[in-house]
């Protein structure tokens, strides 16, 4: 029987979800705890992770909409359901390519609030109008005001790295506007700001240093996203149906979904979180896909990586970062890792308490292979359709043992480099090898190493295990000899598959593969 429950894809309004009978994963116990144990909060999560729905839930709660919470955890926790004035500012709905864009959206919201609570014509600046409308709402209602700001950093992120003058304009405007939340504290019941990252160097928060940043708090690590238990408890009909369509067990579906969409950690000891956008789309479309990654491309992050000359091989294998770099993001081209983490492309995999360092890596296969595939055109001239063709052929050729065809295709891959890339350093070509073998890992077990004392790459297919060694300005014979001398085949001696060693020389003058022996 076809499961037709309503899944809230793109639905960010709590009232709509509840009144239109969309499926809702109950987070209201955490909502109540946050609302009743503190006042000014900041909370960062990657895009499409449920931040807007969270703010809409707070809005319904502080508007006293008890009817919307029937049957949810908060119903047994809240006794009063007081009604407060709620100012909900959503900075998503604007293209911030000029100073007027920010002023326009602030003015639009201020006019809406002033239509309800009144305005003094002598108030002209956005910050002045914001303070006074908060004060009037407090005095007229007799209750403290709630301020909810969604994607507070959207204007800054759009200008960052593209237009320094525009960034400075936004910084000064938002610094003054958000600073009101400190000066108007006596009129406020609750303040909650969300965004992707927390800026320090551009000083938006310098006048708002009282915010409690709960982004990496253990107690709220599961506030946005879906845990494995929540997945099994709330989506059992969809899991069963997806298993039937694919002719596998429900455990197989959970294993596949875990590999693709799980793995986000917002605290070293926090539960792994599934990406809610990809989960919902998988159940709705009844097939697996890169749903989250396709909703936004990390172009700016890749440009930041290129400017920093960061060794991508370290990023792709997991990177260490000090805890201090995540308390506040400082705009630093030499260290793009914190912004890549806060944007959702890396997540916490381990924490060294003694040295206070995080180990960061891709959360799951959707992000890992999506990010690697996105990197390829920045290092080669291949178009998107060609990339998939090349990688597929690479895998097929090694599966049948056709080393010559694989190496010829790899040589053609390098021959397609645009001219301007031919001045790149040795590291550039090592990174390209790295990307090729990492992308092959989607379809067959492939490892690529940058550490000394290990083979450059190992590829495992059902019949073969290939060990590759590349020599820059050396001979293929020397590469092959190194495989023997260093014992690179020994770990696979009892595997049972046929072992194939491949020695390759890379000609720096021609900037391409020279000879190979296997």
């Amino acid at each position: 029987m076809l499961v037709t429950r309503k899944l809230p894809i793109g639905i960010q309004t709590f009232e709509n979800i509840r009144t239109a009978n969309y499926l809702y994963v109950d987070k209201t116990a955490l909502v109540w705890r946050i609302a009743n144990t503190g006042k000014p909060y900041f909370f960062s999560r990657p895009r499409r992770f449920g931040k807007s729905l969270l703010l809409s839930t707070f809005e319904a709660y502080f508007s006293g909409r008890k009817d919307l919470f029937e049957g949810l955890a908060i119903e047994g926790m809240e006794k009063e359901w007081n009604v407060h004035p709620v100012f909900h500012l959503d900075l998503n709905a604007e293209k911030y390519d000029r100073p007027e864009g920010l002023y326009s959206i602030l003015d639009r919201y201020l006019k809406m609030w002033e239509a309800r609570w009144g305005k003094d014509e002598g108030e002209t600046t956005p910050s002045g109008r914001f303070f006074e409308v908060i004060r009037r709402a407090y005095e007229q209602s007799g209750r403290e005001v709630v301020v909810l700001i969604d994607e507070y950093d959207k204007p800054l992120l759009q200008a960052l790295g593209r237009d320094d003058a525009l960034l400075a304009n936004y910084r000064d405007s938002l610094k003054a506007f958000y600073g009101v939340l400190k000066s108007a504290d006596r009129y406020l019941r609750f303040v909650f700001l969300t965004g992707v990252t927390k800026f320090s160097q551009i000083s938006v928060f310098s006048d708002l240093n009282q915010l409690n940043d709960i982004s990496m708090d253990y107690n709220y690590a599961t506030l946005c996203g879906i845990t494995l238990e929540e997945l099994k408890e709330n989506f059992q009909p969809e899991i069963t149906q997806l298993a039937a369509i694919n002719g596998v067990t429900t455990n197989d579906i959970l294993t596949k979904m875990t590999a693709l969409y799980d793995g986000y950690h917002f605290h070293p000891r926090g539960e792994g979180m599934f990406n809610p956008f990809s989960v919902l789309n998988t159940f709705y479309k009844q097939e697996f896909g890169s749903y989250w990654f396709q909703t936004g491309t990390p172009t700016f992050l890749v440009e930041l990586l290129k400017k920093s000359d960061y060794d991508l091989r370290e990023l792709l294998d997991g990177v260490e970062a000090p805890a201090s770099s995540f308390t506040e993001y400082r705009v630093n081209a030499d260290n793009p890792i914190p912004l890549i983490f806060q944007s959702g492309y890396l997540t916490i995999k381990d924490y060294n308490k003694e040295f206070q360092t995080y180990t960061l890596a891709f959360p799951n296969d959707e992000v890992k292979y999506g990010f690697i595939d996105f990197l390829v055109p920045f290092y080669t001239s291949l178009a998107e359709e060609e990339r998939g063709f090349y990688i597929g052929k690479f895998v097929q050729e090694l599966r049948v043992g056709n080393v010559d065809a694989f190496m010829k295709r790899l040589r053609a891959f390098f021959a397609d480099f645009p001219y301007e890339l031919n001045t790149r350093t040795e590291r550039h070509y090592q990174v390209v090898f790295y990307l090729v073998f990492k992308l092959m890992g989607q379809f067959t077990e492939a490892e690529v190493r940058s550490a000394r004392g290990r083979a450059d790459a190992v590829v495992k297919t059902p019949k073969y295990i290939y060990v590759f060694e590349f020599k820059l300005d050396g001979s293929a014979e020397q590469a092959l000899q190194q495989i023997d001398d260093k014992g690179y085949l020994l770990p696979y001696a009892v595997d049972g598959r046929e072992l194939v060693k491949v020695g390759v020389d890379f000609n720096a003058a021609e900037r391409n593969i020279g000879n190979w022996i296997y």
Side-chain angles (χ1 to χ4, degrees):
M1 181 179 175
L2 183 66
V3 177
T4 57
R5 294 198 300 172
K6 298 173 72 172
L7 303 177
I9 299 173
I11 310 298
Q12 301 177 17
T13 305
F14 182 73
E15 180 179 7
N16 192 352
I17 286 177
R18 297 295 288 165
T19 57
N21 199 32
Y22 284 95
L23 190 149
Y24 175 70
V25 177
D26 190 356
K27 301 286 187 177
T28 60
L30 293 176
V31 166
W32 187 91
R33 184 193 302 173
I34 292 170
N36 289 278
T37 58
K39 179 174 177 179
Y41 291 98
F42 172 76
F43 183 68
S44 74
R45 282 294 181 269
R47 57 185 169 80
R48 298 283 189 173
F49 237 86
K51 299 189 297 294
S52 297
L53 175 58
L54 175 64
L55 286 194
S56 180
T57 308
F58 279 122
E59 181 174 15
Y61 170 71
F62 282 110
S63 298
R65 293 295 306 276
K66 181 179 180 180
D67 57 304
L68 298 178
F69 293 90
E70 291 181 6
L72 300 179
I74 200 171
E75 184 182 28
M77 304 170 76
E78 180 57 50
K79 307 302 180 185
E80 297 181 355
W81 295 100
N82 292 323
V83 179
H84 294 264
V86 178
F87 294 170
H88 187 170
L89 171 61
D90 183 359
L91 293 182
N92 269 306
E94 186 65 60
K95 184 178 182 182
Y96 300 100
D97 54 0
R98 53 192 177 85
E100 295 78 13
L102 176 58
Y103 179 82
S104 174
I105 195 168
L106 294 180
D107 183 60
R108 186 161 67 245
Y109 275 96
L110 286 166
K111 285 179 177 176
M112 180 174 63
W113 301 331
E114 289 164 346
R116 170 65 178 84
W117 301 106
K119 180 182 187 301
D120 185 332
E121 294 304 321
E123 300 157 9
T124 57
T125 66
S127 56
R129 292 166 63 190
F130 190 31
F131 179 89
E132 290 301 328
V133 77
I134 289 174
R135 181 185 60 81
R136 277 191 295 272
Y138 167 76
E139 292 175 348
Q140 294 175 28
S141 69
R143 293 199 178 275
E144 295 167 309
V145 175
V146 171
V147 176
L148 309 171
I149 300 180
D150 197 7
E151 303 292 2
Y152 91 97
D153 54 350
K154 185 75 174 288
L156 303 170
L157 288 174
Q158 289 200 1
L160 190 62
R162 296 181 176 90
D163 190 329
D164 290 341
L166 188 62
L167 179 63
N169 181 286
Y170 289 159
R171 175 198 63 204
D172 294 341
S173 298
L174 291 175
K175 179 182 178 183
F177 192 81
Y178 295 144
V180 169
L181 297 174
K182 186 172 186 177
S183 57
D185 179 72
R186 60 189 178 277
Y187 306 127
L188 298 172
R189 162 66 176 84
F190 184 77
V191 173
F192 202 94
L193 279 72
T194 75
V196 171
T197 189
K198 185 176 182 182
F199 287 95
S200 171
Q201 194 175 23
I202 56 177
S203 70
V204 168
F205 280 128
S206 61
D207 290 343
L208 198 57
N209 52 18
Q210 85 276 25
L211 286 178
N212 179 12
D213 184 355
I214 59 171
S215 306
M216 298 175 72
D217 282 15
Y218 175 79
N219 288 332
Y220 304 118
T222 63
L223 181 58
C224 285
I226 300 171
T227 68
L228 178 60
E229 287 306 310
E230 288 172 336
L231 183 71
K232 292 189 288 188
E233 180 180 338
N234 289 274
F235 296 95
Q236 195 58 52
E238 286 77 16
I239 294 170
T240 301
Q241 179 168 283
L242 192 58
I245 290 172
N246 285 273
V248 297
T249 68
T250 56
N251 283 337
D252 292 332
I253 292 298
L254 290 172
T255 299
K256 176 76 169 178
M257 295 190 73
T258 298
L260 280 173
Y261 309 130
D262 191 13
Y264 290 90
H265 292 269
F266 301 109
H267 185 276
R269 300 190 307 277
E271 287 187 67
M273 301 300 294
F274 284 77
N275 184 312
F277 188 75
S278 292
V279 166
L280 293 174
N281 273 278
T282 295
F283 289 140
Y284 183 84
K285 299 180 187 301
Q286 298 182 347
E287 61 182 355
F288 298 102
S290 297
Y291 300 109
W292 178 82
F293 196 91
Q294 292 169 359
T295 62
T297 55
T299 304
F300 167 66
L301 299 179
V302 174
E303 293 292 347
L304 198 61
L305 282 168
K306 291 170 67 178
K307 288 179 183 178
S308 70
D309 195 31
Y310 196 88
D311 190 341
L312 278 175
R313 294 171 296 171
E314 294 184 21
L315 174 65
L316 301 183
D317 282 336
V319 61
E320 284 194 354
S324 58
S325 65
F326 297 100
T327 54
E328 292 180 333
Y329 173 63
R330 296 181 178 271
V331 184
N332 184 353
D334 294 328
N335 183 22
I337 299 304
L339 186 55
I340 296 175
F341 162 76
Q342 291 176 330
S343 299
Y345 296 97
L346 296 175
T347 195
I348 299 168
K349 292 298 183 181
D350 199 5
Y351 179 67
N352 186 312
K353 189 174 183 179
E354 180 181 4
F355 298 105
Q356 294 186 319
T357 56
Y358 289 102
T359 299
L360 307 176
F362 294 116
N364 50 49
D365 285 352
E366 177 190 8
V367 178
K368 175 181 179 180
Y369 292 118
F371 195 87
I372 294 172
D373 189 57
F374 188 78
L375 287 172
V376 171
F378 290 88
Y379 289 84
T380 77
S381 63
L382 292 180
E384 183 176 357
E385 60 275 8
E386 293 178 304
R387 298 201 301 275
F389 173 80
Y390 266 86
I391 298 302
K393 287 296 184 182
F394 283 147
V395 173
Q396 292 172 11
E397 286 155 357
L398 291 187
R399 281 177 178 170
V400 298
N402 195 340
V403 177
D404 287 322
F406 174 85
M407 293 306 303
K408 288 176 183 176
R409 191 176 304 280
L410 193 59
R411 177 187 277 169
F413 187 91
F414 277 91
D416 278 341
F417 277 19
Y419 175 78
E420 60 269 20
L421 290 181
N422 288 341
T423 59
R424 295 298 180 96
T425 63
E426 173 188 345
R427 183 198 289 177
H428 179 85
Y429 296 97
Q430 293 171 333
V431 166
V432 174
F433 279 124
Y434 221 63
L435 294 175
V436 168
F437 283 100
K438 285 290 185 183
L439 282 174
M440 289 171 57
Q442 298 171 81
F443 310 103
T444 189
E445 191 177 348
E447 302 171 358
V448 54
R449 305 288 188 183
S450 58
R452 295 181 62 187
R454 298 177 179 178
D456 286 330
V458 176
V459 179
K460 300 176 182 178
T461 70
K463 289 185 178 180
Y464 304 96
I465 295 179
Y466 298 90
V467 175
F468 290 86
E469 184 65 27
F470 296 90
K471 279 289 185 184
L472 181 68
D473 288 335
S475 68
E477 290 82 1
Q478 289 173 323
L480 209 63
Q481 188 62 46
Q482 182 170 325
I483 294 175
D484 291 335
D485 292 344
K486 299 288 187 178
Y488 293 156
L489 291 177
L490 291 178
Y492 317 106
V494 297
D495 183 275
R497 283 173 281 189
E498 187 172 342
L499 306 183
V500 183
K501 52 187 177 181
V502 187
V504 186
D505 79 75
F506 190 87
N507 190 307
E510 296 182 5
R511 296 179 174 86
N512 207 328
I513 290 171
N515 298 317
W516 61 85
I517 301 174
Y518 63 95

